Amino acid sequence: MCNCNQQRMQYSSTATEQQKGMIPVRLLTETPLSLNGNITGRMYIFRNNGDTIWVDKRDAPYMKELPALEVPL
C-alpha cells in the first residue's frame, strides 16, 4: 500500500520547521557575497542580485549593518 500522504505530510512539516526562527535576507548588489553568521557560524552565500536566503534570526542583526543586504527587522 502506498504511503504517499505520510511522505507528503512529513515533507510539508519539515519545510515549515526550517523556516521557524529564520527570516529572509535579500542581496541588493550585483557583487556576490558570502559571510558567516556571528552567532551560529553558518555560512550564507548570496550569488546574484535579488537572491533571498533564509537566515537565522540571531545572525540577522549583524547583517543589517551591511548596505548590500536588505534585512527585515
Side-chain angles (χ1 to χ4, degrees), residues 31-62:
T31 308
L33 176 67
S34 66
L35 53 108
N36 290 334
N38 289 353
I39 303 297
T40 64
R42 292 181 184 159
M43 177 173 272
Y44 301 105
I45 301 172
F46 299 89
R47 291 192 170 96
N48 300 313
N49 184 13
D51 275 357
T52 301
I53 305 288
W54 286 92
V55 172
D56 193 292
K57 283 183 185 179
R58 298 170 290 172
D59 293 331
Y62 300 99

Side-chain angles (χ1 to χ4, degrees), residues 21-34:
M22 309 285 270
I23 61 170
V25 176
R26 189 166 64 103
L27 181 66
L28 300 175
T29 62
E30 296 290 332
T31 308
L33 176 67
S34 66

